[in-house]
């Protein structure tokens, strides 16, 4: 039963005029300026890194399936930071946090969950790509054609969007109490659920169902792929060949561990262990640091990405030299 003083969600005008207050890091008043500058720099570097990889792969005429999935991953991380970072920066700019409308909070949650879920499914698709590359190298091009990659990418996006829409609708149909202060820097699901005027574990059930479908299911698919890879590599006698095969999976493994480590800590745990301060720190890593690390991991570990970036830089230098030569000739003439 809703508690006394709850907002009546049956009143249409309430949803239109209702606002939440994102407290952000308002308790750290003395650190607001350094944190704002740090977030801004991380945000700009993340946008630049993911944009660079996205454009480099898009402009490449012949792309392998892994590069295709990596291009989609960079696009997801780019959207991820654009959904979260602006409100986080605004909450640091104001001494008492940042206001967000009822609809704006719902849209932000929908986009955040959809992008995070799409990344989970995409990591599962990338693990299948690694399985085919290691276990069936001669049939790699036949098993992972362009059509299958496009269908997998579309399926990842649509499935995540549908599940995110269901979770967001379930959360925002709950009655909210008069206190509309969200102790977070964005509309994360656990933080918004704490404002619900309901008791028991009923409101947690949609989140649990979403975690099972968005986190556990892709993780089991990733685990199955790597178990098959481990079994296949156990029959390879030379340690050099085993190390080379493992190196092709290292980038994907690092990204998977980062993504699932933070997501599991935040969403798969008892309600009683919720801590706003701790959650904000983990969410800070999850939404700001990991998108920054992904381009670094792939640019350092993936030979194809390094080759594409070197080729693009070489072409840029050649074009710059040719342009300078033309200007010199025109000046002399």
């Amino acid at each position: 039963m809703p508690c006394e003083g709850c907002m009546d969600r049956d009143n249409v005008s309430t949803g239109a005029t209702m606002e939440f207050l994102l407290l952000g890091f308002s308790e750290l008043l003395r650190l607001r300026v350094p944190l704002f500058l740090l977030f801004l720099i991380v945000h700009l570097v993340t946008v630049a890194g993911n944009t660079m990889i996205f454009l480099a792969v898009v402009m490449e005429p012949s792309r392998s399936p892994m590069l295709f999935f990596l291009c989609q991953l960079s696009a997801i991380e780019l959207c991820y930071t654009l959904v979260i970072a602006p409100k986080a920066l605004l909450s640091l700019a104001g001494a008492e946090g940042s206001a967000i409308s009822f609809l704006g909070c719902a849209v932000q949650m929908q986009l955040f969950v959809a992008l995070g879920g799409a990344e989970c499914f995409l990591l599962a698709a990338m693990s299948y790509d690694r399985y085919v590359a290691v276990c069936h190298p001669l049939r790699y091009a036949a098993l992972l054609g362009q059509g299958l990659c496009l269908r997998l990418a579309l399926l990842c996006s649509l499935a995540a969007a549908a599940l995110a829409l269901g979770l967001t609708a379930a959360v925002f149909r709950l009655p909210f109490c008069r206190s509309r202060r969200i102790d977070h820097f964005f509309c994360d699901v656990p933080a918004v659920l704490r404002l619900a005027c309901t008791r028991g574990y009923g409101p947690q059930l949609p989140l649990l169902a979403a975690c099972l479908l968005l986190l556990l299911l892709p993780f089991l698919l990733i685990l199955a792929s790597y178990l098959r890879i481990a079994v296949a590599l156990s029959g390879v006698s030379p340690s050099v060949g085993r190390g080379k095969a493992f190196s092709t999976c290292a980038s994907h493994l690092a990204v998977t561990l980062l993504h699932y480590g933070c997501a599991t800590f935040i969403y798969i745990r008892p309600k009683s262990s919720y801590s706003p301060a701790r959650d904000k720190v983990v969410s800070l890593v999850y939404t700001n640091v990991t998108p920054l690390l992904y381009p670094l991991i792939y640019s350092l570990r993936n030979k194809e990405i390094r080759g594409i970036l070197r080729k693009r830089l070489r072409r840029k230098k050649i074009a710059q030299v040719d342009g300078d030569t033309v200007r010199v000739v025109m000046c002399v003439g």
Side-chain angles (χ1 to χ4, degrees):
M1 293 293 292
C3 65
E4 184 181 355
C6 294
M7 303 297 293
D8 185 5
R9 292 300 310 121
D10 294 329
N11 188 346
V12 177
S13 63
T14 301
T17 59
M18 184 178 176
E19 280 191 344
F20 295 105
L21 181 65
L22 293 170
L23 298 180
F25 296 92
S26 55
E27 71 274 14
L28 304 175
L29 292 178
R30 295 181 180 180
L31 297 177
R32 272 195 308 141
V33 175
L35 284 175
F36 179 86
L37 294 175
L38 179 62
F39 281 10
L40 181 62
I41 292 171
V42 169
H43 175 58
L44 294 176
V45 174
T46 301
V47 170
N50 284 289
T51 303
M52 180 180 65
I53 290 182
F54 177 79
L55 293 177
V57 175
V58 166
M59 295 170 65
E60 186 67 15
S62 58
R63 294 187 295 270
S64 66
M66 175 52 87
L67 287 180
F68 175 81
F69 291 135
L70 184 56
C71 180
Q72 189 184 5
L73 182 65
S74 295
I76 289 174
E77 293 303 328
L78 191 59
C79 295
Y80 220 55
T81 54
L82 294 176
V83 167
I84 301 301
K87 273 296 177 183
L89 291 171
L90 281 175
S91 68
L92 285 169
E96 296 182 356
S98 170
I100 185 170
S101 66
F102 179 87
L103 180 60
C105 189
V107 170
Q108 188 184 51
M109 182 183 293
Q110 158 71 20
L111 292 174
F112 174 75
V113 176
L115 290 168
E119 184 172 342
C120 290
F121 288 133
L122 186 62
L123 289 173
M126 293 170 77
S127 70
Y128 176 71
D129 169 86
R130 292 300 84 199
Y131 159 72
V132 175
V134 173
C135 300
H136 304 285
L138 299 179
R139 301 175 57 198
Y140 181 71
L143 291 175
L144 277 173
Q146 186 176 4
L148 178 60
C149 291
L150 286 171
R151 287 193 296 271
L152 284 174
L154 185 61
L155 181 62
C156 290
S157 301
L158 292 179
L163 291 170
L165 182 61
L167 175 60
T168 305
V171 170
F172 282 90
R173 276 165 48 190
L174 296 171
F176 293 108
C177 295
R178 293 286 180 184
S179 176
R180 296 166 305 205
R181 298 161 67 89
I182 301 176
D183 195 1
H184 215 299
F185 57 89
F186 71 100
C187 290
D188 200 10
V189 181
V192 175
L193 281 177
R194 282 183 64 83
L195 302 183
C197 300
T198 53
R199 296 181 179 180
Y201 289 91
Q204 302 289 326
L205 293 179
L207 177 59
L208 178 61
C211 288
L212 290 175
L213 294 172
L214 293 175
L215 290 175
L216 186 59
L217 178 61
F219 179 75
L220 291 176
L221 294 174
I222 294 171
L223 186 62
S225 295
Y226 276 103
L227 285 175
R228 296 291 298 272
I229 291 173
V231 170
L233 291 181
S234 64
V236 178
S237 52
S239 59
V240 177
R242 203 174 295 162
K244 184 178 179 181
F246 176 76
S247 66
T248 64
C249 307
S251 301
H252 178 262
L253 274 173
V255 170
T256 301
L257 290 174
L258 276 172
H259 182 77
Y260 275 93
C262 294
T264 302
F265 181 85
I266 295 174
Y267 300 109
I268 304 180
R269 53 143 188 232
K271 182 180 178 181
S272 58
S273 65
Y274 179 80
S275 170
R278 186 177 55 198
D279 272 34
K280 281 190 284 188
V281 174
V282 179
S283 296
L284 185 64
V285 175
Y286 185 58
T287 59
N288 290 272
V289 178
T290 53
L292 173 65
L293 292 178
Y294 289 172
L296 296 176
I297 291 171
Y298 273 105
S299 61
L300 292 175
R301 296 291 310 177
N302 193 290
K303 291 182 180 179
E304 289 182 275
I305 288 294
R306 291 202 304 268
I308 291 174
L309 293 177
R310 278 198 297 265
K311 186 165 61 175
R312 294 295 167 194
L313 290 173
R314 196 180 303 118
R315 287 181 181 177
K316 186 176 180 180
K317 288 181 180 178
I318 292 173
Q320 185 177 359
V321 170
D322 291 343
D324 292 340
T325 304
V326 171
R327 282 194 293 269
V328 169
V329 171
M330 290 178 65
C331 290
V332 172

